[in-house]
Amino acid sequence: MEKAIQITVIIGTLNRPNVLMSLIGQLVEESKKIQFEAIIIDQSTPENYKELISKFPKTINFKLIHFDKPNTVQYLNYGWKNAKASIVLYFDDDITLTESTIQAHLEAYENLSINGVSGRVINDSEKISQNQSVGKIKWFGAMFSKNFSYDKKALVHFPYGCNMSFRKQALNDLGGFDEKLSPPIYAFNEVDLGYRINKRWKNSILFSPEALVYHHQYKRGGTRNDFIVENVFQSNQFNYGYFLGKNFSIFENIICFLRRLPYQLIKEPRAILHILRGFIYGKQIRRSNV
């Protein structure tokens, strides 16, 4: 009798079939130990997609889907909506797994109060963090601490997008990732989701150092379909403002504003207009959801 699928692995990729296939090779080996399905959502050009098809393993639980137009939040939502398992695990295509990565994600959900897991991430050439403030939102969004290379368990406010998992039911209850986020990079998608999960179910996202990956951070491809620096900058700042406007009250926004303003004026004054535009849009969405 075939074993039940324990977890669904979801990967988005764009125009780097060789990078992806390195990870697929690891997943094929892992599938000999753990029963899981893999959904690969390719957003590449026809040429790169054709190359990927030719290399993709002919394995029943490995599925290759193609999107004609790259869109990070849409592929994230497609993944969990079409997953067979009750746990969904997201990887970037430019990571290297360890022997414990997938198993550690699975084991975390033995605690029924856990709705999300952020795995440990060591980026190439990164100094290992000794800061215990992992994945925290501070001053109602004025500051964020990441430090996902830390090596101790902790409860976090948001995960690292290249190595994160969730209960499918929690995603369904919250409507999944927010598709109103602005392209091209759809920044803050995991921060926004993490905040909403913890707002609904307090202290329910775990940082698991055993769920370790090495992240190579290739500069092109993956899910990025726009390499114009100014477009990326504007999108990032707009989404930051949108996150603040949508998720926090005016009182909380004022506290955030007072804490953030000195940094913004000194370091990134040109971002203020884009943040404000996103903030106004976020407030409109907040009011419509009341």
Side-chain angles (χ1 to χ4, degrees), residues 35-54:
Q35 189 73 12
F36 65 86
E37 69 168 341
I39 301 176
I40 313 303
I41 298 123
D42 176 73
Q43 306 171 90
S44 303
T45 61
E47 293 79 11
N48 280 291
Y49 179 49
K50 184 177 180 180
E51 180 180 349
L52 185 55
I53 291 174
S54 69

Side-chain angles (χ1 to χ4, degrees), residues 1 24 106 128 151 168 183 190:
M1 185 176 178
I24 293 294
L106 269 172
I128 305 302
D151 61 356
K168 180 177 177 178
E190 66 266 43

Side-chain angles (χ1 to χ4, degrees), residues 96-112:
T96 299
L97 303 174
T98 61
E99 291 185 359
S100 64
T101 306
I102 298 176
Q103 187 62 44
H105 273 278
L106 269 172
E107 290 175 355
Y109 292 98
E110 294 175 5
N111 181 341
L112 298 181

Side-chain angles (χ1 to χ4, degrees), residues 149-271:
S149 63
Y150 188 61
D151 61 356
K152 301 291 191 300
K153 284 187 177 180
L155 292 170
V156 296
H157 295 156
F158 62 92
Y160 197 141
C162 74
N163 180 20
M164 61 184 181
S165 64
F166 305 97
R167 291 192 192 276
K168 180 177 177 178
Q169 186 60 54
L171 296 179
N172 184 67
D173 290 349
L174 294 175
F177 295 85
D178 189 346
E179 295 190 13
K180 295 184 179 67
L181 288 162
S182 172
I185 59 172
Y186 304 94
F188 286 86
N189 66 77
E190 66 266 43
V191 176
D192 174 76
L193 179 63
Y195 176 81
R196 289 187 286 125
I197 287 176
N198 276 315
K199 187 175 182 179
R200 176 77 67 92
W201 304 282
K202 189 175 181 181
N203 295 328
S204 67
I205 303 180
L206 177 71
F207 171 71
S208 172
E210 290 80 16
L212 168 66
V213 304
Y214 294 94
H215 189 206
H216 307 303
Q217 293 186 302
Y218 292 102
K219 293 182 179 180
R220 289 180 175 268
T223 59
R224 296 185 295 270
N225 63 313
D226 190 331
F227 304 104
I228 301 174
V229 173
E230 187 60 24
N231 290 351
V232 170
F233 175 80
Q234 291 180 15
S235 169
N236 186 65
Q237 302 305 322
F238 178 92
N239 286 333
Y240 174 46
Y242 173 67
F243 168 74
L244 297 177
K246 186 187 76 165
N247 289 301
F248 298 100
S249 69
I250 287 294
F251 176 72
E252 292 166 336
N253 292 147
I254 291 171
I255 294 173
C256 170
F257 173 78
L258 293 174
R259 184 66 179 81
R260 180 79 180 186
L261 185 60
Y263 168 86
Q264 208 66 56
L265 290 174
I266 295 169
K267 297 291 187 179
E268 288 184 336
R270 70 189 184 96

Side-chain angles (χ1 to χ4, degrees), residues 115-134:
N115 284 302
V117 175
S118 179
R120 187 183 184 200
V121 179
I122 298 178
N123 296 306
D124 286 357
S125 303
E126 178 181 23
K127 184 178 180 181
I128 305 302
S129 175
Q130 302 302 316
N131 190 328
Q132 299 179 27
S133 183
V134 182

